[in-house]
Coordinates of all heavy atoms in Angstrom, one line a residue:
G1 N 186.7 262.0 145.1 CA 185.4 261.8 144.5 C 185.3 260.4 143.8 O 186.3 259.9 143.3
R2 N 184.2 259.8 143.9 CA 183.9 258.5 143.4 C 182.7 258.5 142.5 O 181.7 259.2 142.8 CB 183.8 257.5 144.5 CG 185.1 257.2 145.2 CD 186.2 256.6 144.3 NE 187.4 256.3 145.0 CZ 188.5 257.1 144.9 NH1 188.4 258.2 144.3 NH2 189.6 256.7 145.5
Y3 N 182.6 257.6 141.6 CA 181.4 257.5 140.7 C 180.6 256.3 141.2 O 179.7 256.4 142.0 CB 181.8 257.3 139.2 CG 182.6 258.5 138.7 CD1 184.0 258.5 138.7 CD2 181.9 259.6 138.3 CE1 184.7 259.6 138.3 CE2 182.6 260.8 137.9 CZ 184.0 260.7 137.8 OH 184.7 261.8 137.4
S4 N 180.9 255.1 140.7 CA 180.2 253.9 141.1 C 180.5 253.6 142.6 O 181.6 253.9 143.1 CB 180.5 252.7 140.3 OG 180.1 252.9 139.0
A5 N 179.6 253.0 143.3 CA 179.8 252.9 144.8 C 179.1 251.7 145.3 O 178.0 251.3 144.9 CB 179.4 254.2 145.5
G6 N 179.7 251.1 146.4 CA 179.0 250.1 147.2 C 179.3 250.6 148.6 O 180.3 251.0 149.0
L7 N 178.3 250.4 149.5 CA 178.3 250.9 150.8 C 177.7 249.9 151.8 O 176.7 249.3 151.5 CB 177.6 252.2 150.9 CG 177.7 253.1 152.1 CD1 179.2 253.7 152.2 CD2 176.7 254.3 152.1
A8 N 178.4 249.7 153.0 CA 177.8 248.8 154.0 C 178.4 249.3 155.3 O 179.4 250.0 155.4 CB 178.2 247.3 153.7
A9 N 177.8 248.8 156.4 CA 178.2 249.3 157.7 C 177.8 248.2 158.8 O 176.9 247.5 158.6 CB 177.6 250.6 158.1
N10 N 178.6 248.2 159.9 CA 178.3 247.4 161.1 C 178.4 248.4 162.2 O 178.4 249.6 162.0 CB 179.1 246.2 161.2 CG 180.6 246.5 161.3 OD1 181.0 247.6 161.6 ND2 181.5 245.5 161.1
D11 N 178.4 247.9 163.5 CA 178.4 248.8 164.6 C 179.7 249.3 164.9 O 179.9 250.1 165.9 CB 177.8 248.0 165.8 CG 178.6 246.8 166.2 OD1 179.6 246.5 165.5 OD2 178.2 246.1 167.1
R12 N 180.7 249.1 164.1 CA 182.1 249.6 164.3 C 182.6 250.4 163.2 O 183.4 251.3 163.4 CB 183.1 248.4 164.6 CG 182.8 247.5 165.7 CD 183.8 246.5 166.0 NE 184.2 245.8 164.7 CZ 183.5 244.8 164.3 NH1 182.4 244.3 164.9 NH2 183.9 244.2 163.2
Q13 N 182.2 250.1 162.0 CA 182.8 250.8 160.8 C 181.9 250.9 159.6 O 180.9 250.1 159.5 CB 184.1 250.2 160.4 CG 184.0 248.7 160.0 CD 185.3 248.0 159.9 OE1 186.4 248.6 160.1 NE2 185.3 246.8 159.5
V14 N 182.2 251.8 158.7 CA 181.5 251.9 157.4 C 182.5 251.5 156.4 O 183.7 252.0 156.4 CB 181.0 253.3 157.2 CG1 180.3 253.4 155.8 CG2 180.1 253.8 158.3
V15 N 182.1 250.7 155.4 CA 182.9 250.3 154.3 C 182.4 250.8 153.0 O 181.2 250.7 152.7 CB 183.0 248.7 154.3 CG1 183.8 248.3 153.0 CG2 183.6 248.2 155.5
F16 N 183.3 251.4 152.3 CA 182.9 252.0 151.0 C 183.8 251.5 149.9 O 185.0 251.5 150.0 CB 183.0 253.6 151.1 CG 182.7 254.3 149.8 CD1 181.4 254.6 149.5 CD2 183.7 254.6 148.9 CE1 181.1 255.3 148.3 CE2 183.4 255.3 147.7 CZ 182.1 255.6 147.4
L17 N 183.1 251.0 148.8 CA 183.8 250.5 147.6 C 183.5 251.5 146.5 O 182.3 251.7 146.2 CB 183.4 249.1 147.2 CG 184.2 247.9 147.8 CD1 183.8 247.8 149.3 CD2 183.8 246.7 147.1
G18 N 184.5 252.1 146.0 CA 184.3 253.1 144.9 C 185.3 253.1 143.8 O 186.3 252.4 143.9
G19 N 185.0 253.8 142.7 CA 185.9 253.8 141.6 C 186.0 255.3 141.1 O 185.0 256.0 141.2
D20 N 187.1 255.6 140.5 CA 187.3 257.0 140.0 C 187.3 257.0 138.4 O 187.7 258.0 137.9 CB 188.5 257.6 140.6 CG 189.8 256.8 140.3 OD1 189.7 255.8 139.6 OD2 190.8 257.2 140.8
D21 N 187.0 255.9 137.8 CA 187.0 255.8 136.4 C 185.5 255.8 135.9 O 184.8 254.8 136.0 CB 187.7 254.5 135.9 CG 187.8 254.4 134.4 OD1 187.0 255.1 133.7 OD2 188.7 253.8 133.9
V22 N 185.1 256.9 135.4 CA 183.6 257.1 135.0 C 183.3 256.2 133.8 O 182.1 255.8 133.7 CB 183.3 258.5 134.8 CG1 183.9 259.1 133.6 CG2 181.8 258.7 134.7
D23 N 184.2 256.0 132.9 CA 183.9 255.2 131.7 C 183.8 253.7 132.0 O 182.9 253.1 131.5 CB 185.0 255.5 130.7 CG 185.0 256.9 130.2 OD1 183.9 257.4 129.9 OD2 186.1 257.5 130.1
R24 N 184.6 253.2 132.9 CA 184.5 251.8 133.2 C 183.5 251.5 134.3 O 183.2 250.4 134.6 CB 185.9 251.2 133.6 CG 186.9 251.2 132.6 CD 188.2 250.4 133.1 NE 188.7 250.9 134.3 CZ 188.7 250.2 135.4 NH1 188.2 249.0 135.5 NH2 189.3 250.7 136.5
R25 N 183.1 252.6 135.0 CA 182.2 252.4 136.2 C 182.9 251.4 137.2 O 182.2 250.6 137.8 CB 180.8 251.9 135.8 CG 180.0 252.9 134.9 CD 179.5 254.0 135.8 NE 178.6 254.9 135.0 CZ 179.0 255.9 134.3 NH1 180.2 256.3 134.3 NH2 178.1 256.7 133.7
A26 N 184.2 251.5 137.3 CA 184.9 250.6 138.2 C 184.5 250.9 139.6 O 184.3 252.1 140.0 CB 186.4 250.7 138.0

C-alpha cells in the first residue's frame, strides 16, 4: 500500500513513485 503517488507510462512500462509514510507524505 502507498499513500502519496506519482504515476507515468510509456509504450513499454508503467513507473510508480510512492511512499508508505502517511505523516511525511513521502
Side-chain angles (χ1 to χ4, degrees):
R2 292 294 183 264
Y3 299 97
S4 295
L7 192 67
N10 59 16
D11 58 2
R12 300 185 311 278
Q13 60 190 2
V14 179
V15 176
F16 178 86
L17 273 69
D20 57 6
D21 186 335
V22 68
D23 295 314
R24 291 191 306 115
R25 294 287 188 268

